[in-house]
């Protein structure tokens, strides 16, 4: 199955600058070559920044750059991925998921599942956000929260919160905790991962996707990873996924054969140390697309 790498250099979702460089850094670190070497046909595309006022100039009330964010969401949702291609959206901050997930959910009639790899639950609404950074809101938006009316364009399709697994949570604001329970999002926070390992919740989730014959979008926020191995992200939180936990997730995703789309969010190359975080992300994507130490029987179907 051919892969399309799509640059989405959005940084309007937060105040700190640098995510605009994410796609260039990932390309510099060899994202396309790694996939080509694994035998995939790779094409490239980019979604261009909408013409709006510079970031921060349209701060309205307590929200940072809501107009630029809305324009990005519209531009991403308007982009049609070529039929048959597996898209990898190269961010950009996590606001991009507000565009990408509805676009993926509207791509087929199969039920849409989302694996959310993040320290944060990103389920704020414009009413509950305390930071005003709209990268903290995509999950509420693409599950159909009504509070986005008049702020963001209506989503092309929404996702059933019960078909989302959040893995790696360790920074959830009080309003978000209530929203997660209310919506019925499936979660495995870092404590659960410490107690039982990262594989069991993921295995259960993948079985569900398989049984439902669903599409699976993976959203990888760089701060899912522990800051000691991935410092190049604006909102680091201690106690994240280790190197092996992260690779195991990717290896299990590969063996499942279920992933239909992917985004990489929040990489801030301005904060990186000689490309260290960027290279780790490229290695993780290689694992997701089949790089393995030893071959083992896959568990498909
Ligand atoms: C925080 C940070 N919950 C906020 N969110 C981040 O600004 O609402 N998500 N960094 O990945
Ligand atoms: Mn996030
Ligand atoms: Mn779908
Ligand atoms: Mn995060």
């Amino acid at each position: 199955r051919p892969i399309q790498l799509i640059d989405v250099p959005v940084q309007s979702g937060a105040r700190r600058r640098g995510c605009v460089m994410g796609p260039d850094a990932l390309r510099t670190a060899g994202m396309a070559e790694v996939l080509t070497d694994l035998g995939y046909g790779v094409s490239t595309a980019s979604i261009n920044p909408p013409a709006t006022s510079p970031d921060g100039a349209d701060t309205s009330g307590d929200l940072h750059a809501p107009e630029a964010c809305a324009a990005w969401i519209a531009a991403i949702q308007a982009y049609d991925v070529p039929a048959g291609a597996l898209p990898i959206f190269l961010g950009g901050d996590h606001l991009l998921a507000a565009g990408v997930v509805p676009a993926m959910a509207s791509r087929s009639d199969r039920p849409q599942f989302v694996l959310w790899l993040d320290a944060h639950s990103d389920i704020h609404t414009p009413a509950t956000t305390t930071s005003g950074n709209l990268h903290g809101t995509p999950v509420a938006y693409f599950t159909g929260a009504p509070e986005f009316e008049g702020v963001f364009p209506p989503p092309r399709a929404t996702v059933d919160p019960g078909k989302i697994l959040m893995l790696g949570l360790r920074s959830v604001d009080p309003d978000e905790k209530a929203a997660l329970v209310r919506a019925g999002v499936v979660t495995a926070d870092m404590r659960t991962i410490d107690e039982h390992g990262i594989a069991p919740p993921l295995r259960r989730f993948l079985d569900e996707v398989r049984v439902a014959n669903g599409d699976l979008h993976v959203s990888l926020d760089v701060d899912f990873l522990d800051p000691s191995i991935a410092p190049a992200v604006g909102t680091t939180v201690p106690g994240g996924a280790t190197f092996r936990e992260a690779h195991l997730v990717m290896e299990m995703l590969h063996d499942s054969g279920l992933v239909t789309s992917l985004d990489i969010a929040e990489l801030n190359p301005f904060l990186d140390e000689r490309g260290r975080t960027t290279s780790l992300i490229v290695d993780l994507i290689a694992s997701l697309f089949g790089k393995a130490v030893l071959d083992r029987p896959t568990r498909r179907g």
Side-chain angles (χ1 to χ4, degrees):
R1 189 165 187 199
I3 291 173
Q4 182 163 69
L5 298 177
I6 306 156
D7 292 10
V8 191
V10 52
Q11 63 178 2
S12 309
R15 286 174 175 82
R16 186 197 287 273
R17 295 178 188 179
C19 286
V20 69
M21 298 187 285
D24 287 338
L26 289 163
R27 286 173 187 288
T28 303
M31 182 71 92
E33 291 80 359
V34 159
L35 294 167
T36 306
D37 289 350
L38 286 165
Y40 295 88
V42 178
S43 66
T44 59
S46 65
I47 298 174
N48 293 313
T52 52
S53 43
D55 281 347
D58 69 326
T59 292
S60 94
D62 297 327
L63 300 180
H64 175 70
E67 286 160 33
C69 288
W72 268 109
I73 290 169
I76 297 165
Q77 291 192 36
Y79 178 76
D80 278 314
V81 177
L86 189 156
I88 305 180
F89 295 88
L90 308 177
D93 71 56
H94 222 164
L95 180 84
L96 74 87
V100 166
V101 175
M104 295 303 101
S106 68
R107 226 184 149 203
S108 81
D109 293 331
R110 310 200 301 177
Q112 185 68 49
F113 289 78
V114 175
L115 175 63
W116 193 263
L117 303 170
D118 198 335
H120 309 91
S121 51
D122 293 352
I123 195 164
H124 271 299
T125 69
T128 65
T129 173
T130 46
S131 66
N133 292 329
L134 291 164
H135 72 160
T137 68
V139 176
Y141 172 76
F142 68 64
T143 53
E147 291 89 341
F148 292 88
E149 228 190 278
V151 184
F152 291 169
R156 247 174 99 165
T158 56
V159 171
D160 170 3
K163 293 187 170 58
I164 303 171
L165 171 65
M166 294 190 174
L167 209 51
L169 297 179
R170 55 198 188 279
S171 173
V172 179
D173 298 331
D175 283 332
E176 291 187 291
K177 285 187 194 178
L180 288 172
V181 173
R182 217 183 311 120
V185 173
V186 187
T187 55
D189 64 5
M190 283 312 298
R191 175 176 170 170
T192 298
I193 293 168
D194 290 344
E195 286 194 276
H196 306 288
I198 204 163
L202 180 59
R203 200 175 287 128
R204 273 195 299 276
F205 183 68
L206 292 173
D207 285 345
E208 243 181 87
V209 178
R210 183 180 299 109
V211 167
N213 191 26
D215 289 333
L216 176 56
H217 178 76
V218 177
S219 192
L220 171 60
D221 183 321
V222 172
D223 67 35
F224 166 67
L225 304 162
D226 192 81
S228 62
I229 55 168
V233 61
T235 52
T236 53
V237 189
T242 65
F243 182 88
R244 269 310 309 166
E245 283 170 336
H247 272 284
L248 179 59
V249 169
M250 299 302 150
E251 289 155 354
M252 289 174 66
L253 287 170
H254 174 259
D255 290 359
S256 79
L258 293 168
V259 176
T260 47
S261 56
L262 170 69
D263 73 65
I264 298 162
E266 299 287 338
L267 176 67
N268 187 335
F270 197 68
L271 306 175
D272 211 356
E273 301 161 352
R274 297 175 152 268
R276 181 173 165 226
T277 309
T278 311
S279 295
L280 172 58
I281 296 295
V282 171
D283 285 346
L284 287 170
I285 300 312
S287 283
L288 201 162
F289 286 95
K291 188 177 174 214
V293 183
L294 300 174
D295 295 328
R296 38 175 56 67
T298 57
R299 94 190 250 293
R300 252 171 241 235

